[in-house]
């Protein structure tokens, strides 16, 4: 049985007056989330915290079903179909529930109009892992000496690069590089990207907000992730602050054994 253990750290950074990032480590559920909130009057903090609370409650309600299914040994090299299908549906439903809740809260309180949050979430159930993504926080996987970005940024610049409108070098100087195209809570529905993975002992995952990954290349992610988790999350935060710390910084490492 593959087990997961997470450790996270969040920092206000050097430019912001408050920390609108939030994260969750729940080793019992095998659930890990990074959320980067947005909105004035501390509404971003409300959005990111509410998203995590809603997603966790939804996953917890379906946990016993998934836990039972994940006890069934899969065929060699395959993800159990039942766990995968239900895990994907559960994660997407949880994120949709969060966007509906945040949108309703903003409708009720005009001072929170326009609040929302990114969500990058990882659920590990036995040999199965599910990733859910909205916005521009990220999930990376390190397997051996290979690091892979598992999520796609939902930003104007990422769309332009993907469609060949600009180059990655031009994107570095684009005034739109922090403009996201999807957020949890900005409307009462959001398109959620989901990804199903086979979890293997020794895999390490990094979930982080853009306040961190905006300062790092893939080679640096790999180098820092060679350390033990407590030291690694501290070094990630230190690196982001040393390089400007323009945004809140959150790093969450998940180890599978």
């Amino acid at each position: 049985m593959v087990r997961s253990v997470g450790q996270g750290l969040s920092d206000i950074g050097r430019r912001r007056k408050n920390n609108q990032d939030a994260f969750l480590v729940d080793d019992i559920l095998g659930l890990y989330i990074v959320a980067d909130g947005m909105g004035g009057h501390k509404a971003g903090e409300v959005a990111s915290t509410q998203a995590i609370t809603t997603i966790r409650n939804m996953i917890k309600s379906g946990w016993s079903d998934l836990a039972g299914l994940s006890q069934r040994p899969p065929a060699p090299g395959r993800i159990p179909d039942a766990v995968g299908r239900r895990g994907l549906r559960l994660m997407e439903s949880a994120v949709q529930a969060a966007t509906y809740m945040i949108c309703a809260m903003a409708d009720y309180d005009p001072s929170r109009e326009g609040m929302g949050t990114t969500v990058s979430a990882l659920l590990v159930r036995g040999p199965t892992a599910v990733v859910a993504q909205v916005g521009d926080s990220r999930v990376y996987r390190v397997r051996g000496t290979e690091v892979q970005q598992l999520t796609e940024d939902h930003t104007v610049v990422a769309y332009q690069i993907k469609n060949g409108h600009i180059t990655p070098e031009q994107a570095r100087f684009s005034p739109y590089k922090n403009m996201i195209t999807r957020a949890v809570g900005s409307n009462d529905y959001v398109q959620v990207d989901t990804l199903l993975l086979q979890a293997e002992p020794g895999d390490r995952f990094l979930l982080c907000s853009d306040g961190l990954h905006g300062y790092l290349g893939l080679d640096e992610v790999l180098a820092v992730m060679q350390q033990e988790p407590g030291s690694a999350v501290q070094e990630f935060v230190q690196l982001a602050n040393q390089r400007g710390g323009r945004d809140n910084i959150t790093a969450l490492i998940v180890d599978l054994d």
Side-chain angles (χ1 to χ4, degrees), residues 67-217:
L69 287 170
S70 65
Q71 300 300 320
R72 304 174 187 175
R78 295 190 59 189
I79 297 170
D81 291 340
V83 177
R85 288 195 305 270
R86 296 191 192 186
L88 287 170
R89 288 198 299 267
L90 181 58
M91 282 283 268
E92 182 172 3
S93 296
V95 177
Q96 293 293 358
T99 202
Y100 182 82
M101 178 65 72
I102 294 167
C103 187
M105 292 171 66
D107 286 343
Y108 181 77
D109 184 351
S111 71
R112 294 173 175 170
E113 182 179 359
M115 74 175 178
T117 184
T118 70
V119 165
S120 293
L122 171 70
L123 176 66
V124 181
R125 295 263 31 95
T128 304
V130 178
V131 173
Q133 170 77 1
V134 176
D136 64 347
S137 297
R138 288 182 182 175
V139 181
Y140 297 89
R141 180 181 64 190
V142 175
R143 177 172 287 174
T145 58
E146 179 184 0
V147 58
Q148 180 182 7
Q149 180 182 330
L150 298 176
T151 53
E152 179 179 317
D153 295 345
H154 300 141
T155 63
V156 171
V157 164
Y159 174 85
Q160 290 175 320
I161 293 173
K162 185 176 182 179
N163 288 276
H165 299 153
I166 62 174
T167 66
E169 180 62 25
Q170 290 172 325
R172 292 178 54 197
F173 305 99
S174 171
Y176 308 111
K177 63 182 179 180
N178 295 320
M179 184 178 294
I180 65 173
T181 56
R182 297 186 208 173
V184 172
S186 56
N187 294 291
D188 59 5
Y189 172 83
V190 68
Q191 183 179 345
V192 184
D193 288 352
T194 55
L195 177 65
L196 186 61
L197 304 167
Q198 183 169 0
E200 296 185 3
D203 284 350
R204 303 191 88 186
F205 293 88
L206 170 66
L207 288 71
C208 63
S209 60
D210 67 328
L212 174 60
H213 70 67
Y215 292 107
L216 297 175

